[in-house]
Amino acid sequence: MRTTHIRSAAFATATVLLLGGLASAPAATADSGGKTQTLHDLARDQGRYFGSAVDNPELADTPYADLLGSEFGQTTPGNGMKWYATEPQRGVFDFTAGDEIVRYAQSKGLKVRGHTLLWHSQLPDWLNNGTWSADELRSILRNHITKVVKHYRGKVFAWDVANEIMNEDGTYRENIFYKTLGPGYIADALRWARAADPKVKLYLNDYNVEGTGAKSDAYYALIKQLKADRVPIDGFGMQAHLALQYGFPYQMRQNIQRFADLRVDVAITELDIRMFLPADEAKLAQQADWYGQVTDACLAVKRCVGITLWGYSDRHSWIPGFFEGEGAALPWDENLRRKPAYDAIRKALTD
Ligand code: XIL
């Protein structure tokens, strides 16, 4: 209760400043040199990273790219490493978009998470529209994973090898790989990724798995089985696309802990917290409280290695385009001003 009370007081102040059209004052935390510590500095002091995704066109938005480069320690390409981008024609690879983000990240000292080798969405048309025998599709998948992982060897610290492979009820999603190859494609994909890069951390990644429930139970069982079968699996990514109207994920800390107890890392990979527009003071305060709770839940578990926002500001967010009437999901607003959520994250990282 005490923490909640203190949090609300901090939000009230920040919100007044925000509504008054002023950026919230830089928080007081300073290192010995007197320089204000960034969110990533604070996370790094706790052995974690704090990052934000970025999509290629956003790099041309200089104030946006500058703040990304100074505040964060990690980035994930929003689209640039997806299959449609990396293998637009069968056997023809294009690493332009991903390379651009890697170059930017290296110049700013950010580490990069690779996203994603295999997904049902944003596949190239040639793959979606083809009819493939199991042998053909297996060789297509193997070649894709091998080429992409080798290209980014030493440049990304982790790969979302398989993205969104489960349904809400914990059954396997019937993507083209499942339909043609059966559930064994997941272990194969992990093994091919390991063969292409012995060092990179290999993850499964999904949404609606932050709390306990049928879907996260299915991942728990799958990862346990993969471990028992000696299939290479290093981590579980919880996207954390949260929405105020659905409530905070049930038992998030305990859920992160049970995956850690399977001896895999956990990462919060795509955090945003949307609301129905217009935003108001109460919704922004609740959002801030949730950002603080997600940060607390990660910090409470040693193997929760870091948090990535899916873009850090409402200026570049996928939410309004995908969820009608919703938005305001990030800790910075359209004008790159800090919202109460920023202060809540900062407080959670500092406490
Ligand atoms: C989103 C991108 O942000 C959009 O630009 C794109 O149009 C669609 O995909 N889960 C994921 C991400 O794993 O790859 C998605 O990214 C958001 C949901």
Side-chain angles (χ1 to χ4, degrees):
M1 264 350 275
R2 201 175 140 264
T3 349
T4 317
H5 177 74
I6 293 170
R7 271 212 190 107
S8 330
F11 300 159
T13 318
T15 310
V16 167
L17 287 168
L18 194 78
L19 296 176
L22 296 164
S24 62
T29 325
D31 62 22
S32 45
K35 196 171 138 282
T36 302
Q37 289 186 280
T38 65
L39 295 186
H40 178 65
D41 292 336
L42 297 171
R44 197 187 39 207
D45 287 349
Q46 314 233 22
R48 331 292 171 110
Y49 59 81
F50 209 91
S52 166
V54 68
D55 197 14
N56 290 78
E58 297 159 13
L59 291 176
D61 178 349
T62 308
Y64 186 84
D66 286 349
L67 207 159
L68 175 71
S70 59
E71 185 75 37
F72 299 95
Q74 181 273 337
T75 193
T76 305
N79 289 298
M81 293 185 186
K82 290 173 180 173
W83 199 318
Y84 82 92
T86 50
E87 195 183 356
Q89 304 296 327
R90 185 175 177 183
V92 178
F93 288 83
D94 182 350
F95 297 113
T96 320
D99 286 356
E100 185 188 25
I101 286 172
V102 168
R103 253 196 321 276
Y104 163 83
Q106 287 175 343
S107 77
K108 303 283 186 179
L110 314 186
K111 53 184 201 165
V112 181
R113 170 181 204 90
H115 174 80
T116 171
L117 298 173
L118 168 179
W119 191 23
H120 63 277
S121 185
Q122 294 183 285
L123 292 172
D125 289 343
W126 67 264
L127 180 53
N128 268 333
N129 300 339
T131 38
W132 311 107
S133 70
D135 281 350
E136 278 173 320
L137 189 59
R138 192 174 292 110
S139 108
I140 286 169
L141 183 59
R142 180 181 193 157
N143 187 49
H144 181 76
I145 290 174
T146 304
K147 294 272 164 52
V148 177
V149 172
K150 280 193 171 162
H151 180 83
Y152 287 110
R153 198 157 52 185
K155 294 178 174 150
V156 303
F157 71 97
W159 269 110
D160 291 327
V161 174
N163 196 33
E164 304 181 354
I165 56 170
M166 295 286 180
N167 294 317
E168 295 305 298
D169 66 358
T171 57
Y172 287 108
R173 188 191 283 273
E174 302 219 341
N175 60 30
I176 60 166
F177 310 105
Y178 182 87
K179 281 192 281 194
T180 313
L181 304 172
Y185 81 90
I186 299 157
D188 285 341
L190 289 161
R191 290 192 178 103
W192 294 328
R194 173 57 74 239
D197 184 345
K199 291 200 182 131
V200 72
K201 300 280 185 200
L202 306 178
Y203 277 69
L204 304 178
N205 189 55
D206 212 327
Y207 61 92
N208 282 352
V209 293
E210 300 74 26
T212 50
K215 198 173 185 181
S216 66
D217 285 352
Y219 277 100
Y220 182 81
L222 172 60
I223 291 172
K224 197 172 181 183
Q225 189 62 51
L226 292 168
K227 282 275 186 188
D229 296 343
R230 303 267 182 268
V231 175
I233 173 75
D234 303 305
F236 185 42
M238 299 178 173
Q239 293 182 4
H241 292 295
L242 309 184
L244 293 186
Q245 68 272 21
Y246 298 136
F248 191 80
Y250 185 63
Q251 294 188 317
M252 182 164 185
R253 183 181 58 75
Q254 292 91 326
N255 193 41
I256 295 174
Q257 185 66 57
R258 70 172 174 157
F259 284 94
D261 292 342
L262 288 178
R263 289 170 293 109
V264 290
D265 291 340
V266 174
I268 309 301
T269 53
E270 306 184 13
L271 178 60
D272 50 23
I273 304 177
R274 62 190 190 265
M275 60 186 69
F276 284 107
L277 299 172
D280 61 27
E281 196 175 331
K283 289 184 221 173
L284 291 173
Q286 193 191 349
Q287 178 189 56
D289 180 59
W290 284 27
Y291 269 106
Q293 285 193 57
V294 171
T295 309
D296 285 341
C298 179
L299 292 178
V301 181
K302 204 157 178 237
R303 289 197 81 143
C304 184
V305 296
I307 298 177
T308 308
L309 305 171
W310 204 243
Y312 69 87
S313 101
D314 298 332
R315 181 190 292 197
H316 300 295
S317 165
W318 73 303
I319 297 295
F322 281 78
F323 301 91
E324 213 191 319
E326 298 180 59
L330 283 316
W332 277 259
D333 72 10
E334 299 82 3
N335 299 310
L336 305 186
R337 286 180 311 204
R338 297 163 179 176
K339 293 159 64 178
Y342 167 88
D343 299 293
I345 296 169
R346 191 172 185 94
K347 184 169 187 314
L349 290 170
T350 313
D351 278 354

